[in-house]
Amino acid sequence: MTIPTGRHAVAADTAKADGVYEWLSARLSLYLRRAPETIDPTVPLAEYGMDSVAALSLCGDLEDEFGLEVEPTLLWDYPTVTSLVRHLTAVLPDPSTGPVAETAAAQGRH
């Protein structure tokens, strides 16, 4: 077994973060009823109108999509897209497997 180091580890984390960001942006776009590119990743989601019902629904989506067990307070603990992507990137498995890899592959990225 080889443990990735240096640039390869950074590339893997970047690919994982990109996949999570793309999926999350698309999902938030639905809940917030706005185009993904209009959601500033550094602005708290509550400022866009993210309420508790949408937050709980997003938690369920994350559980379904990524097989995670998500606390209902997730969006209060990580209130921006940037902080949420950073957290999810840390807790998700290797990007070469699972939904993030499938999303990247469907978009022509590896």
Side-chain angles (χ1 to χ4, degrees):
M1 177 169 97
T2 304
I3 298 173
T5 59
R7 288 177 46 195
H8 298 293
V10 171
D13 284 346
T14 300
K16 187 189 322 185
D18 287 348
V20 170
Y21 179 81
E22 294 298 322
W23 181 89
L24 186 59
S25 292
R27 184 58 60 189
L28 287 170
S29 167
L30 295 172
Y31 287 119
L32 299 175
R33 298 178 188 208
R34 54 188 316 133
E37 61 273 6
T38 67
I39 301 170
D40 182 333
T42 63
V43 172
L45 294 169
E47 289 187 27
Y48 289 110
M50 184 69 133
D51 61 15
S52 59
V53 173
L56 287 174
S57 296
L58 181 63
C59 288
D61 292 344
L62 287 164
E63 289 180 340
D64 292 345
E65 184 71 17
F66 298 107
L68 297 174
E69 188 170 320
V70 177
E71 293 294 323
T73 59
L74 181 71
L75 289 171
W76 279 261
D77 296 336
Y78 305 97
T80 67
V81 173
T82 299
S83 64
L84 188 53
V85 168
R86 191 173 296 131
H87 168 71
L88 292 171
T89 301
V91 299
L92 285 172
D94 182 357
S96 63
T97 61
V100 172
E102 293 167 12
T103 298
Q107 296 172 351
R109 294 181 292 159
H110 300 277

